[in-house]
């Protein structure tokens, strides 16, 4: 693959649909060159195609020009030379003449750099920076064919820039530049869609990327929309927020196999960045050869925000958005959205009143499902079997702690299998409400055996199964390290105790229960089990569960 692009005919690889991976490596001083070259060698061995030498402050070093020549000449990958100005997020604060001098040095290297990046704002300065850059490139050390091309760029680290499309149109219409590049800080998932729209209507090779947590989709899906390149970081920080590493791009995201047909899924939550769902589903998609990727999408905890995001994602046809996993606090919104769109909701999900999965049925209508129910029941049955029972929940006494979304799903799931359920919650009225709802028949679905009790009333009782569906014990939560089970609840080797909390793996509740001989099962097993049902709802087949990530 040749990682350069002639502005008249576009390079072979690019025209074949390859989106390059460029690793940005800052080099601030002469004594950092050897390390930087080693990093570029590592980037190459990891699969990067280009290196961007970010030499913003190198001009301040007395041997800056000579150092830049060495960097370019010894670069193990075709390179981009960039001296990013402070006004666009870089550290270059010198004069135009100093910058021109550095470009001249870079272009004296044999071979010269593949690209010089220059900001649109600088290009149009009174000193004809654009002309200088083009002249230097033209009279570089290389043959005409190898002369550096100009990347005309624009960056906004604060948000979507005003006049975005007119700036990009200006870059496209400039005959002196080969590639247009626009990068801005995403505020919502909508920004990615705008980047994809720019790529789809490009008049020349274009880089359109969004920064920050919300912008990851634009970086990963650049090949789907024909982006010229995506950036990867070498260290913890990278040169812009949100850059993945080359290894993450290639191993975790299967970047090389993303193409126009790649389908897109999301995990919608608030916040979503901590979710393990992208890791789980993307591993399964790759292992099962399903051309799809799932992204974490943080959506503010309001119905209006959820609805607007869903409409944007499902509404932008070229994105091929096919479904969503939904977590706190949007599970009720998920049900409402599918209901309002005239979609299909199965009876259990309707009765639980919350959905964690949205997908598209064969007839094009959306469907909503609650796979937490399947997850809880499956994991409990298997724990009961492995402790010598038959795994049948019928007639078992089950205590559910909590009265949020997970508790609703668990209470419904086990009661629907014939268990007798006691539900207890810090806010007792919420437990009572669930018990009252489930205790009446609903259509042809029978009344369920669910009663509410005060937490303290559980003391001295014995249950076959106890399920914690509160967030007590959760890492980083307000009750981290605490045990939600009231003192005195009887536990022995016939008890099964499950904690929906999956981080940490060993919660205070599970420690307490295992010390008393109970069979313990953690939230990770439930997470994998419910995710497997999501995968099946979307793709029609079970996932290769042995490809699931380690806890
Ligand atoms: P939710 O709807 O927000 O409900 C939270 C529940 O926790 C409520 O019952 C709340 O009681 C209770 N709670 C919170 N802080 C408490 C405290 N300090 N003391 C006592 N009770 C407290 O959340 P959810 O969706 O049901 O999720 C609950 C937990 O299950 C979370 O840790 C979540 O990560 C986990 N979960 C795991 C899976 C999985 O697959 N493993 C799936 C879903 C959920 P009040 O009503 O009194 O506020």
């Amino acid at each position: 693959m040749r990682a350069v692009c002639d502005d008249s005919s576009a390079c072979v690889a690019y025209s074949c649909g390859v989106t390059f991976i460029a690793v940005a490596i800052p080099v601030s001083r002469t004594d950092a060159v050897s390390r930087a070259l080693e990093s570029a060698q590592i980037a190459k061995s990891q699969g990067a195609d280009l290196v961007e030498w970010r030499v913003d402050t190198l001009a301040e070093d007395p041997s800056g020009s000579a150092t830049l020549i060495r960097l370019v000449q010894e670069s193990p990958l075709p390179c981009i030379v960039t001296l990013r100005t402070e006004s666009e997020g870089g550290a270059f604060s010198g004069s135009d003449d100093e910058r021109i001098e550095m470009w001249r040095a870079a272009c004296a290297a044999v071979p010269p750099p593949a690209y010089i990046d220059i900001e649109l704002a600088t290009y149009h300065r009174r000193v004809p920076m654009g002309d200088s850059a083009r002249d230097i490139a033209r009279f570089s050390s290389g043959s005409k064919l190898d002369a550096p091309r100009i990347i005309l760029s624009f960056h906004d680290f604060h948000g979507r820039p005003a006049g975005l499309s007119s700036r990009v149109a200006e870059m496209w219409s400039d005959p002196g530049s080969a590639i247009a590049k626009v990068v801005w800080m995403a505020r919502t998932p909508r920004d990615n869609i705008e980047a994809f729209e720019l790529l789809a209507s490009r008049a020349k090779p274009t880089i359109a990327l969004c920064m920050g947590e919300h912008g990851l989709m634009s970086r990963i899906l650049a090949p789907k929309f024909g982006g010229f390149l995506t950036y990867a970081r070498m260290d913890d920080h990278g040169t812009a927020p949100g850059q993945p590493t080359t290894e993450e791009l290639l191993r975790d995201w299967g970047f090389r196999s993303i193409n126009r047909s790649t389908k897109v899924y999301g995990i919608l939550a608030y916040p979503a960045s901590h979710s393990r769902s992208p890791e789980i589903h993307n591993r399964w998609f790759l292992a099962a050869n399903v051309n799809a990727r799932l992204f974490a999408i943080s959506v503010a905890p309001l119905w209006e925000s959820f609805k607007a995001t869903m409409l944007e994602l499902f509404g932008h046809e070229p994105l091929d958005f096919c479904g969503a996993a939904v977590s706190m606090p949007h599970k009720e919104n998920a049900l409402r959205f599918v209901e309002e769109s005239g979609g299909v909701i199965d009876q259990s999900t309707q009765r639980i009143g919350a959905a964690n999965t949205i997908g598209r049925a064969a007839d094009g209508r959306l469907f909503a499902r609650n796979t937490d129910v399947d997850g809880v029941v499956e994991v409990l049955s298997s724990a009961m079997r492995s402790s010598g029972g038959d795994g049948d929940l019928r007639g078992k006494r089950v205590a559910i702690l909590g009265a949020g979304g997970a508790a609703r799903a668990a209470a419904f799931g086990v009661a629907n299998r014939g268990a007798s359920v006691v539900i207890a919650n810090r806010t007792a009225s919420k437990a009572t409400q669930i018990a009252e709802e489930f205790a009446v028949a609903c259509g042809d679905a029978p009344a369920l055996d669910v009663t509410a009790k005060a937490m303290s009333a559980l003391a001295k009782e014995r249950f076959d199964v106890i399920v914690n569906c509160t967030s007590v014990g959760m890492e980083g939560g307000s009750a981290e390290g605490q045990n939600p089970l009231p003192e005195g609840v009887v536990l022995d080797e016939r008890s099964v105790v499950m904690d929906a909390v999956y981080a940490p793996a060993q919660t205070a509740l599970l420690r307490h229960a295992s010390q008393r001989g109970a069979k313990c099962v953690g939230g990770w097993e439930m997470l994998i089990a419910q995710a497997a049902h999501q995968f099946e709802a979307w793709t029609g087949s079970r996932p290769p569960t042995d490809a699931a990530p380690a806890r």
Side-chain angles (χ1 to χ4, degrees), residues 328 402-406 425-427 430 469-472 474 500 523 526-527:
M328 262 166 41
N425 188 43
R426 176 178 64 178
T427 310
K430 287 208 227 160
C469 290
T470 74
S471 46
V472 174
M474 194 170 78
M526 175 183 165
L527 187 72

Side-chain angles (χ1 to χ4, degrees), residues 312-323:
E312 273 164 8
L313 293 170
F314 277 115
H316 184 66
E317 239 175 76
L319 183 62
D320 293 314
F321 191 77
C322 294

Side-chain angles (χ1 to χ4, degrees), residues 213-459:
E213 181 197 337
H214 293 296
L216 184 66
M217 203 187 264
S218 71
R219 296 184 183 279
I220 306 293
L221 293 181
K224 179 172 169 70
F225 295 93
F228 180 69
L229 64 74
T230 197
Y231 286 95
R233 71 182 154 82
M234 202 61 211
D235 56 17
D236 284 350
H237 311 292
T239 49
Q243 292 168 343
T245 63
T246 304
E247 277 192 316
E248 284 164 357
L249 279 167
L250 296 174
R251 182 198 55 204
D252 302 347
W253 289 100
F255 187 77
R256 298 290 190 217
S257 54
I258 292 174
N259 55 31
R260 284 167 76 157
S261 316
T262 302
K263 293 184 178 2
V264 179
Y265 293 84
I267 159 80
L268 275 75
Y270 187 80
S273 53
H274 67 281
S275 172
R276 302 285 306 269
S277 293
E279 200 185 339
I280 295 169
H281 284 292
N282 289 328
R283 275 189 183 232
W284 286 342
F285 286 145
L286 290 170
N289 260 324
V290 175
N291 189 3
R293 303 291 183 273
L294 182 138
F295 294 86
I297 301 175
S298 264
V299 181
L302 294 168
W303 157 243
E304 288 74 16
S305 307
F306 183 82
K307 181 179 177 182
T309 306
M310 285 275 93
L311 288 174
E312 273 164 8
L313 293 170
F314 277 115
H316 184 66
E317 239 175 76
L319 183 62
D320 293 314
F321 191 77
C322 294
V326 183
S327 192
M328 262 166 41
H330 288 300
K331 290 183 181 176
E332 284 163 16
N333 291 336
L335 190 66
R336 182 173 165 189
F337 181 76
V338 172
E339 218 157 35
E340 289 189 5
S341 73
V344 189
I345 299 162
D346 62 86
Q347 204 178 43
S348 309
T349 305
Q350 191 70 264
R351 203 161 174 205
I352 293 162
N356 72 337
T357 310
I358 296 178
R360 209 183 265 292
D363 63 3
R365 283 195 298 165
L366 296 183
F367 65 79
R369 270 195 60 185
N370 192 314
T371 67
D372 285 338
V373 176
D374 311 296
V376 172
V377 170
E378 243 172 60
V379 169
L380 282 178
S381 300
S382 126
M384 287 159 69
R385 274 194 299 275
S386 69
S387 62
D390 59 4
D392 192 351
L393 281 154
R394 210 166 324 145
K396 297 287 184 297
R397 284 202 81 215
V398 178
I400 307 277
L401 311 181
R408 269 182 172 272
F412 176 85
V414 294
N416 202 36
R417 294 293 174 109
S420 162
V421 175
V422 171
I423 183 162
N425 188 43
R426 176 178 64 178
T427 310
S429 58
K430 287 208 227 160
T432 308
Q433 191 188 336
I434 295 178
E436 284 174 0
E437 274 178 41
F438 288 163
V440 287
C442 177
D444 49 5
L448 300 175
D449 183 1
V450 182
T451 50
K453 278 195 178 176
M455 274 281 183
S456 54
L458 303 186

Side-chain angles (χ1 to χ4, degrees), residues 4 25 27 33-34 36-37 40-41 50-55 58 63-83 101-117 136 140-142 146-149:
V4 290
I25 302 180
V27 187
V33 167
S34 300
L37 286 167
Q41 193 60 52
L50 287 165
V51 60
E52 181 186 44
W53 295 121
R54 280 290 301 269
V55 288
L58 198 58
S63 351
S65 303
T67 302
L68 183 53
I69 294 176
R70 182 179 161 209
L71 258 184
V72 174
Q73 279 185 178
E74 294 182 24
S75 182
L77 288 166
C79 69
I80 306 169
V81 168
T82 304
L83 288 95
E101 209 35 59
M102 289 296 274
W103 289 336
R104 209 181 295 282
C107 292
V110 185
Y115 303 97
I116 293 176
D117 180 311
I136 293 164
S140 71
S141 63
D146 284 337
R149 279 90 180 164

Side-chain angles (χ1 to χ4, degrees), residues 397 422 453 457-463 466 488-491:
R397 284 202 81 215
V422 171
K453 278 195 178 176
L458 303 186
K460 308 232 175 337
E461 291 212 38
R462 188 190 174 280
F463 298 92
I466 296 172
V489 178
V490 179
L491 286 169

